[in-house]
Amino acid sequence: MMLTARTLAEATTYLSLVAASDAARHGPPETSLTEGTDAWTVHSELGNVAVRYQSEDASRRLGVMYGLGVSQLIDAGQWIMISQTFARRALAADMAYTAQPGQDRTTVELNWQFAAEAVGEAMKFVPEGADRLPEQAFWSELGEQFAREQPDAITRAQLADDYEYYTGTLDDFRQLYGDA
């Protein structure tokens, strides 16, 4: 049975996570894309992931990078770790940015945006009325380890704070330097 992602972005993110969990591997997997009757297939040596055209189209129209609904491929802990990685990159790029001619600001903006999108994906796992992510939201070894080691990071309040920080910092950056 082939795995199914909600969007092409989710498929490539998933394959990158699989590659990153292999200590002997260096770098992201090489991928190729084929078109089928109702879906693309993202091929790599790590496996194949289907992405339905309809799912990708709906996500693009609504501006949802990783897709509608809750991920079946990437667990909440992994999403939080992804968001933290993008946030570290964004902060470093933001601190180095001086608005000098020829300096590229897209690294700053995209990393803050991706950090917010990824933590938003983790937030989708929090049940209505719950104050934290449930155990079922962590099924990967990496996600389970994250939940054990950082229990304060898996609360609704912390996820909301992270989301507000990432989006607020992006807004502040754009306000300070103008829209691109």
PDB file of all heavy atoms in Angstrom, residues 11-28:
ATOM      1  N   ALA A  11       4.527  15.652   1.211  1.00  0.00           N
ATOM      2  CA  ALA A  11       5.231  14.457   0.724  1.00  0.00           C
ATOM      3  C   ALA A  11       6.742  14.644   0.784  1.00  0.00           C
ATOM      4  O   ALA A  11       7.462  13.774   1.286  1.00  0.00           O
ATOM      5  CB  ALA A  11       4.792  14.135  -0.704  1.00  0.00           C
ATOM      6  N   THR A  12       7.237  15.782   0.301  1.00  0.00           N
ATOM      7  CA  THR A  12       8.685  15.997   0.312  1.00  0.00           C
ATOM      8  C   THR A  12       9.210  16.207   1.733  1.00  0.00           C
ATOM      9  O   THR A  12      10.317  15.781   2.051  1.00  0.00           O
ATOM     10  CB  THR A  12       9.087  17.173  -0.601  1.00  0.00           C
ATOM     11  OG1 THR A  12       8.380  18.345  -0.200  1.00  0.00           O
ATOM     12  CG2 THR A  12       8.792  16.860  -2.057  1.00  0.00           C
ATOM     13  N   THR A  13       8.410  16.831   2.593  1.00  0.00           N
ATOM     14  CA  THR A  13       8.811  16.993   3.992  1.00  0.00           C
ATOM     15  C   THR A  13       8.919  15.635   4.665  1.00  0.00           C
ATOM     16  O   THR A  13       9.878  15.361   5.390  1.00  0.00           O
ATOM     17  CB  THR A  13       7.814  17.901   4.744  1.00  0.00           C
ATOM     18  OG1 THR A  13       7.795  19.181   4.115  1.00  0.00           O
ATOM     19  CG2 THR A  13       8.183  18.048   6.208  1.00  0.00           C
ATOM     20  N   TYR A  14       7.942  14.771   4.421  1.00  0.00           N
ATOM     21  CA  TYR A  14       7.968  13.422   4.991  1.00  0.00           C
ATOM     22  C   TYR A  14       9.218  12.662   4.530  1.00  0.00           C
ATOM     23  O   TYR A  14       9.922  12.058   5.350  1.00  0.00           O
ATOM     24  CB  TYR A  14       6.702  12.660   4.606  1.00  0.00           C
ATOM     25  CG  TYR A  14       6.765  11.199   4.974  1.00  0.00           C
ATOM     26  CD1 TYR A  14       6.593  10.783   6.284  1.00  0.00           C
ATOM     27  CD2 TYR A  14       7.046  10.236   4.006  1.00  0.00           C
ATOM     28  CE1 TYR A  14       6.689   9.448   6.635  1.00  0.00           C
ATOM     29  CE2 TYR A  14       7.136   8.898   4.342  1.00  0.00           C
ATOM     30  CZ  TYR A  14       6.961   8.505   5.660  1.00  0.00           C
ATOM     31  OH  TYR A  14       7.067   7.181   5.988  1.00  0.00           O
ATOM     32  N   LEU A  15       9.498  12.697   3.246  1.00  0.00           N
ATOM     33  CA  LEU A  15      10.671  11.977   2.730  1.00  0.00           C
ATOM     34  C   LEU A  15      11.965  12.545   3.300  1.00  0.00           C
ATOM     35  O   LEU A  15      12.906  11.798   3.589  1.00  0.00           O
ATOM     36  CB  LEU A  15      10.680  11.984   1.203  1.00  0.00           C
ATOM     37  CG  LEU A  15       9.580  11.141   0.557  1.00  0.00           C
ATOM     38  CD1 LEU A  15       9.495  11.409  -0.940  1.00  0.00           C
ATOM     39  CD2 LEU A  15       9.794   9.640   0.838  1.00  0.00           C
ATOM     40  N   SER A  16      12.011  13.856   3.515  1.00  0.00           N
ATOM     41  CA  SER A  16      13.188  14.463   4.147  1.00  0.00           C
ATOM     42  C   SER A  16      13.347  14.010   5.593  1.00  0.00           C
ATOM     43  O   SER A  16      14.470  13.791   6.060  1.00  0.00           O
ATOM     44  CB  SER A  16      13.099  15.992   4.087  1.00  0.00           C
ATOM     45  OG  SER A  16      13.196  16.431   2.755  1.00  0.00           O
ATOM     46  N   LEU A  17      12.222  13.844   6.311  1.00  0.00           N
ATOM     47  CA  LEU A  17      12.285  13.333   7.689  1.00  0.00           C
ATOM     48  C   LEU A  17      12.801  11.897   7.713  1.00  0.00           C
ATOM     49  O   LEU A  17      13.608  11.538   8.577  1.00  0.00           O
ATOM     50  CB  LEU A  17      10.904  13.373   8.334  1.00  0.00           C
ATOM     51  CG  LEU A  17      10.425  14.685   8.894  1.00  0.00           C
ATOM     52  CD1 LEU A  17       8.965  14.583   9.300  1.00  0.00           C
ATOM     53  CD2 LEU A  17      11.279  15.120  10.071  1.00  0.00           C
ATOM     54  N   VAL A  18      12.323  11.087   6.780  1.00  0.00           N
ATOM     55  CA  VAL A  18      12.791   9.699   6.696  1.00  0.00           C
ATOM     56  C   VAL A  18      14.294   9.679   6.434  1.00  0.00           C
ATOM     57  O   VAL A  18      15.043   8.940   7.076  1.00  0.00           O
ATOM     58  CB  VAL A  18      12.017   8.912   5.606  1.00  0.00           C
ATOM     59  CG1 VAL A  18      12.635   7.533   5.393  1.00  0.00           C
ATOM     60  CG2 VAL A  18      10.544   8.780   5.987  1.00  0.00           C
ATOM     61  N   ALA A  19      14.745  10.525   5.526  1.00  0.00           N
ATOM     62  CA  ALA A  19      16.175  10.595   5.208  1.00  0.00           C
ATOM     63  C   ALA A  19      16.982  11.068   6.411  1.00  0.00           C
ATOM     64  O   ALA A  19      18.046  10.534   6.705  1.00  0.00           O
ATOM     65  CB  ALA A  19      16.404  11.522   4.022  1.00  0.00           C
ATOM     66  N   ALA A  20      16.463  12.071   7.124  1.00  0.00           N
ATOM     67  CA  ALA A  20      17.178  12.622   8.281  1.00  0.00           C
ATOM     68  C   ALA A  20      17.297  11.616   9.416  1.00  0.00           C
ATOM     69  O   ALA A  20      18.232  11.687  10.220  1.00  0.00           O
ATOM     70  CB  ALA A  20      16.486  13.885   8.782  1.00  0.00           C
ATOM     71  N   SER A  21      16.380  10.663   9.493  1.00  0.00           N
ATOM     72  CA  SER A  21      16.437   9.677  10.574  1.00  0.00           C
ATOM     73  C   SER A  21      17.472   8.582  10.296  1.00  0.00           C
ATOM     74  O   SER A  21      17.768   7.785  11.174  1.00  0.00           O
ATOM     75  CB  SER A  21      15.061   9.046  10.801  1.00  0.00           C
ATOM     76  OG  SER A  21      14.694   8.241   9.696  1.00  0.00           O
ATOM     77  N   ASP A  22      18.043   8.570   9.107  1.00  0.00           N
ATOM     78  CA  ASP A  22      19.071   7.594   8.741  1.00  0.00           C
ATOM     79  C   ASP A  22      20.440   8.231   8.962  1.00  0.00           C
ATOM     80  O   ASP A  22      20.865   9.085   8.180  1.00  0.00           O
ATOM     81  CB  ASP A  22      18.889   7.176   7.278  1.00  0.00           C
ATOM     82  CG  ASP A  22      19.906   6.150   6.825  1.00  0.00           C
ATOM     83  OD1 ASP A  22      20.816   5.789   7.606  1.00  0.00           O
ATOM     84  OD2 ASP A  22      19.792   5.705   5.667  1.00  0.00           O
ATOM     85  N   ALA A  23      21.122   7.827  10.030  1.00  0.00           N
ATOM     86  CA  ALA A  23      22.407   8.425  10.399  1.00  0.00           C
ATOM     87  C   ALA A  23      23.465   8.255   9.318  1.00  0.00           C
ATOM     88  O   ALA A  23      24.381   9.066   9.204  1.00  0.00           O
ATOM     89  CB  ALA A  23      22.905   7.828  11.715  1.00  0.00           C
ATOM     90  N   ALA A  24      23.367   7.201   8.511  1.00  0.00           N
ATOM     91  CA  ALA A  24      24.352   6.950   7.472  1.00  0.00           C
ATOM     92  C   ALA A  24      24.120   7.821   6.233  1.00  0.00           C
ATOM     93  O   ALA A  24      24.971   7.901   5.356  1.00  0.00           O
ATOM     94  CB  ALA A  24      24.322   5.474   7.072  1.00  0.00           C
ATOM     95  N   ARG A  25      23.005   8.449   6.166  1.00  0.00           N
ATOM     96  CA  ARG A  25      22.628   9.231   4.984  1.00  0.00           C
ATOM     97  C   ARG A  25      23.080  10.679   5.128  1.00  0.00           C
ATOM     98  O   ARG A  25      23.062  11.249   6.200  1.00  0.00           O
ATOM     99  CB  ARG A  25      21.118   9.173   4.825  1.00  0.00           C
ATOM    100  CG  ARG A  25      20.643   9.836   3.617  1.00  0.00           C
ATOM    101  CD  ARG A  25      19.145   9.630   3.478  1.00  0.00           C
ATOM    102  NE  ARG A  25      18.765  10.184   2.220  1.00  0.00           N
ATOM    103  CZ  ARG A  25      18.887   9.558   1.060  1.00  0.00           C
ATOM    104  NH1 ARG A  25      19.313   8.334   1.021  1.00  0.00           N
ATOM    105  NH2 ARG A  25      18.562  10.146  -0.059  1.00  0.00           N
ATOM    106  N   HIS A  26      23.437  11.282   4.027  1.00  0.00           N
ATOM    107  CA  HIS A  26      23.841  12.689   4.018  1.00  0.00           C
ATOM    108  C   HIS A  26      22.993  13.428   2.994  1.00  0.00           C
ATOM    109  O   HIS A  26      23.077  13.171   1.806  1.00  0.00           O
ATOM    110  CB  HIS A  26      25.320  12.837   3.676  1.00  0.00           C
ATOM    111  CG  HIS A  26      26.206  12.108   4.630  1.00  0.00           C
ATOM    112  ND1 HIS A  26      26.416  12.532   5.922  1.00  0.00           N
ATOM    113  CD2 HIS A  26      26.904  10.963   4.504  1.00  0.00           C
ATOM    114  CE1 HIS A  26      27.219  11.690   6.536  1.00  0.00           C
ATOM    115  NE2 HIS A  26      27.533  10.718   5.698  1.00  0.00           N
ATOM    116  N   GLY A  27      22.162  14.335   3.471  1.00  0.00           N
ATOM    117  CA  GLY A  27      21.358  15.149   2.579  1.00  0.00           C
ATOM    118  C   GLY A  27      19.986  14.587   2.309  1.00  0.00           C
ATOM    119  O   GLY A  27      19.672  13.446   2.652  1.00  0.00           O
ATOM    120  N   PRO A  28      19.176  15.410   1.680  1.00  0.00           N
ATOM    121  CA  PRO A  28      17.798  15.003   1.383  1.00  0.00           C
ATOM    122  C   PRO A  28      17.763  13.971   0.256  1.00  0.00           C
ATOM    123  O   PRO A  28      18.709  13.861  -0.534  1.00  0.00           O
ATOM    124  CB  PRO A  28      17.131  16.315   0.948  1.00  0.00           C
ATOM    125  CG  PRO A  28      18.247  17.161   0.440  1.00  0.00           C
ATOM    126  CD  PRO A  28      19.459  16.781   1.244  1.00  0.00           C
TER     127      PRO A  28
END
